[in-house]
Amino acid sequence: MRLNIIVCVKSVVNNMMPGSNRSSSGNMELNPFDRPAIEMALSLTKENQGSLTVLSMGPQTATFGLYQAIAMGADRGVLICDSALKESDTYVTAKVLGTALLKLQPFDLVLFGTRSSDSDTGHVGPQTAQMLGIPFIGNIHSLAVVRDKLLALHADNPSTEAADQSDSRQAVAENMQTTNIWSVERKADGYVESFEVKGRAAFTVSSSFTVSGETGFTSLHGIETAFSEKTIEFWDNSTLGLKAEETGLIASPTKIVAWNREKRSKKCLFIDGSPEQKAQQLAQKLSEAGFVG
Amino acid sequence: MDIFLTEKHKVVRHSVRDFARREIVPIAKDIDEEQRFPWEVVDKMAALGYFGIQVPRELGGAGMDTVSYIIIIEEISKASASLGLCASVHNSVALYPILAFGNRDQHEKFVPDLASGKKIGAFCLTEPNAGSDASAIEATAIKDCSKNSNSYGDKNIESSGCKNGESNCGKTSENQKDGDHYIVNANKVFVTNGGVAQTCLIFVRTDPAAGPKGISVIIAEKGTPGFVVGESENLSGMRANPVCSIRLSECRIHKSNLLAKEGQGLKIGLAALDTGRIGIAAQAIGIAQGALEEGIKYAKERIQFSVPIARHQSIQNMIADMGTQVESARLMVYRAALLKDMGQPFSKEAAMAKLMASETASRVADMAVQIHGGYGYSKSYPVERYYRDARITRIYEGTSEVHRMVIARSLLS
């Protein structure tokens, strides 16, 4: 049985010029928090001979992050790109992604990074799961699909009527295609929580997740494959059956009303006294600042 | 510079820059001081495809173009010029001639292991008495049933072993003299990657009487009886690259390892060096860019006369000159690479790019040291290493003087 996994990714601006938010492919990159989600998806698709689609919403320049994701090993890239989507908040973004995910059916699993390195909301993963009405767990660091158990579930409940047997087998086969049991772990408050999740689900993947033995870097072979063998599909609002007024700033319930650069100041403090006094004062200052203790 | 780059080139640059920042920068100072070849990082470079950048994918390479190649060499060299040198020499003057002049059997036999980085390649041309004048090499490769005498090294030994019927052709017994092997004697010096290379292109005389037309290239593999690697040179710069002498003494190598035909050695060498120059130029750009960035960083941090020294006009002038010269040189390197990718002649442009980039690297590294003042002369700051590493780029794979000869010849023809 193949696993169809979709990872929703974002291209973020990594080197914004002062006084400008203009983005080009030269200063955009795949959101670093999305990489663990892609790596987790790839490890699952390798084990289960599945396929991985990366889905993104953004301007034309967002192809950069998608190509990076495809170079990591994704099979297909889809970019939802429409001028009417400009300045969508996370609610509208989740609505658009949710609509696109329904169009990408069948899928078994949707993964997200925990947040983006630019806007840093962490909203889109759980909001999209809510739009789709599927179970969600955040910040997972371990994921496995359990299928033997699923077979056992069906074996425990065989059909007794011979006439129904073929229908039952077909129903089981259909169910097998769409139902998995996910064994999931996340860390919280000093504990490791273990979950079992049945059926289609959405998770955000912890930035601590790494695949052992992998370098975490994109190979030249992957990049060449991405550009010579794969193409990015462009979808717009009409592809998704969305009206312009259903997306973008106009449809967004939350609006950014001001955007001011955070003022940061560095203060250098010299500590005087004997070495013991200096150490004591240093420890006290660090404790007061919340770095120790 | 991005106007020349496709989205793929930018993804390549992002990827290799990330790798260099996270994997090479942290060890660059130590491997220079310890004169250590960092296999742990080289293995990762190999896994990422950095040793088969332009090799066709069907032979295990990444199948990329020359612009991608120079992007990769520049970014690695900015972090560690020694590792940039390793990748440049391996990809250009070691692997490229096999691809360009080798036959199908040689492609299948040598290229996949080189492209995957399982084996490192080297280019063995320079000898104690043959540097800029490559045609003066004395190394020989004589067919094992030839009556020609070995004109190099152990001059009293008949290379053929045919004379008097004695077993005097190295490790060849009389019944092995089938005419299918060369007996190679060579003393090659300043071999980049020499200490780690397993596949070496050896420039030899197959016909000692034919002058430059008697020079050929033999592919020799480490482990062949008579193949001896010398100690690493104690160099001023590029100290993490094991530059060694390699000596082949009565080394019996099958004729199938002859690259192209006998007598084509100089043609192969010149073609390899044309390509190699683009790589060394990219390496010099990497060094210069690194020195520029360190100079800017320090100029903003260092306070003198109550202000960062970047506020002083003399420092600003240096920064402006450094930036302008780096960009000028980079333009020339990109031009040479683009011409090569377009299948157009690029020999003159590659020579100009190498001349400009290597001299720029030296000047820019010198100014970066000057901006750092006394600290720039200390190993505590990377500019001291850039300064040492930059110097050799004006010497190897053709000195600046030889490049001027090549350029002048082209302009005056």
Side-chain angles (χ1 to χ4, degrees), chain A residues 45-76:
Chain A
T45 54
K46 274 179 194 164
E47 281 171 24
N48 298 279
Q49 296 180 323
S51 72
L52 169 61
T53 299
V54 281
L55 172 67
S56 188
M57 174 180 133
Q60 183 84 25
T61 49
T63 52
F64 192 82
L66 273 177
Y67 272 123
Q68 285 184 300
I70 296 171
M72 289 172 71
D75 301 287
R76 181 184 179 193

Side-chain angles (χ1 to χ4, degrees), chain A residues 266-285:
Chain A
K266 278 194 284 189
K267 191 176 170 187
C268 189
L269 185 68
F270 287 94
I271 297 173
D272 295 322
S274 66
E276 289 78 11
Q277 289 170 326
K278 284 180 184 173
Q280 197 171 16
Q281 285 186 60
L282 178 63
Q284 191 181 342
K285 297 281 180 195

Side-chain angles (χ1 to χ4, degrees), chain B residues 23-67:
Chain B
E23 296 286 336
I24 303 177
V25 169
I27 63 163
K29 179 174 180 283
D30 289 345
I31 60 175
D32 173 75
E33 284 189 13
E34 296 161 12
Q35 213 176 345
R36 180 175 72 82
F37 188 72
W39 276 112
E40 73 280 11
V41 170
V42 171
D43 285 344
K44 289 180 184 174
M45 289 167 62
L48 294 174
Y50 296 170
F51 287 98
I53 300 167
Q54 292 183 265
V55 174
R57 300 172 84 196
E58 57 270 24
L59 289 171
M64 291 192 160
D65 59 11
T66 314
V67 173

Side-chain angles (χ1 to χ4, degrees), chain A residues 6 8 55 90-102 107-113 122-139 197 199-204:
Chain A
I6 300 170
C8 295
L55 172 67
T90 57
Y91 178 85
V92 171
T93 302
K95 186 168 73 178
V96 174
L97 288 176
T99 310
L101 284 164
L102 291 175
F107 62 84
D108 300 288
L109 179 69
V110 188
L111 296 178
F112 299 82
H123 296 171
V124 173
Q127 280 180 326
T128 307
Q130 177 70 15
M131 297 284 178
L132 292 169
I134 59 177
F136 172 82
I137 296 175
N139 203 32
V197 183
R200 290 202 304 191
F203 308 125
T204 56

Side-chain angles (χ1 to χ4, degrees), chain A residues 14 25-26 28-29 35 60-61 63-64 67-68 71 215-221 223-225 227-229, chain B residues 2 7-8 10-15 18-19 22-23 44 46-50 53 57 60-64 72:
Chain A
N14 69 357
S25 63
M28 294 200 90
E29 65 175 340
R35 285 183 173 266
Q60 183 84 25
T61 49
T63 52
F64 192 82
Y67 272 123
Q68 285 184 300
T215 61
F217 298 104
T218 311
S219 74
L220 298 184
H221 305 92
I223 296 170
E224 186 60 34
T225 300
F227 282 91
S228 63
E229 295 178 16
Chain B
D2 283 7
E7 192 162 37
K8 181 169 83 174
K10 291 174 189 172
V11 172
V12 168
R13 184 175 62 185
H14 186 282
S15 172
D18 185 38
F19 176 79
R22 286 160 56 189
E23 296 286 336
K44 289 180 184 174
L48 294 174
Y50 296 170
I53 300 167
R57 300 172 84 196
M64 291 192 160
I72 292 161

Side-chain angles (χ1 to χ4, degrees), chain B residues 47-287:
Chain B
L48 294 174
Y50 296 170
F51 287 98
I53 300 167
Q54 292 183 265
V55 174
R57 300 172 84 196
E58 57 270 24
L59 289 171
M64 291 192 160
D65 59 11
T66 314
V67 173
S68 299
Y69 167 64
I70 62 170
I71 288 169
I72 292 161
I73 298 300
E74 176 182 338
E75 294 297 333
I76 294 173
S77 300
K78 193 171 92 175
S80 165
S82 296
L83 288 181
L85 175 64
C86 172
S88 175
V89 164
H90 173 96
N91 276 282
S92 61
V93 289
L95 234 174
Y96 167 76
I98 301 176
L99 275 175
F101 296 97
N103 56 38
R104 191 172 168 179
D105 288 344
Q106 288 169 337
H107 286 175
E108 289 175 358
K109 183 178 177 186
F110 297 110
V111 173
D113 282 350
L114 288 168
S116 67
K118 188 178 171 187
K119 291 181 178 175
I120 304 289
F123 178 83
C124 305
L125 176 60
T126 303
E127 295 180 3
N129 297 318
S132 294
D133 181 7
S135 66
I137 63 166
E138 296 169 345
T140 57
I142 307 299
K143 283 273 180 65
D144 64 354
C145 272
S146 163
K147 291 290 180 186
N148 290 330
S149 63
N150 172 7
S151 63
Y152 174 75
D154 305 310
K155 291 178 179 171
N156 294 326
I157 296 176
E158 283 287 329
S159 65
S160 71
C162 296
K163 193 175 182 181
N164 301 328
E166 295 170 350
S167 58
N168 56 357
C169 66
K171 286 89 188 162
T172 316
S173 65
E174 198 62 29
N175 58 8
Q176 286 178 299
K177 294 175 208 162
D178 50 12
D180 285 344
H181 290 79
Y182 289 99
I183 305 300
V184 182
N185 284 280
N187 185 15
K188 299 294 182 181
V189 295
F190 295 126
V191 179
T192 302
N193 294 345
V196 292
Q198 288 181 288
T199 304
C200 300
L201 303 192
I202 314 286
F203 285 74
V204 292
R205 288 187 180 282
T206 43
D207 184 353
K213 291 182 180 173
I215 295 175
S216 307
V217 180
I218 302 267
I219 307 169
E221 293 196 275
K222 193 176 186 176
T224 308
F227 186 114
V228 178
V229 180
E231 292 291 311
S232 290
E233 298 284 348
N234 189 8
L235 300 175
S236 169
M238 305 289 174
R239 291 174 59 77
N241 193 296
V243 176
C244 298
S245 61
I246 287 182
R247 184 177 173 87
L248 281 74
S249 181
E250 298 295 300
C251 216
R252 192 164 183 265
I253 296 173
H254 195 265
K255 66 179 183 184
S256 61
N257 282 20
L258 173 73
L259 197 57
K261 294 177 184 169
E262 286 190 5
Q264 294 193 322
L266 275 189
K267 179 183 160 190
I268 294 169
L270 291 174
L273 289 171
D274 274 348
T275 299
R277 279 169 188 147
I278 299 177
I280 298 301
Q283 185 201 30
I285 297 296
I287 296 169

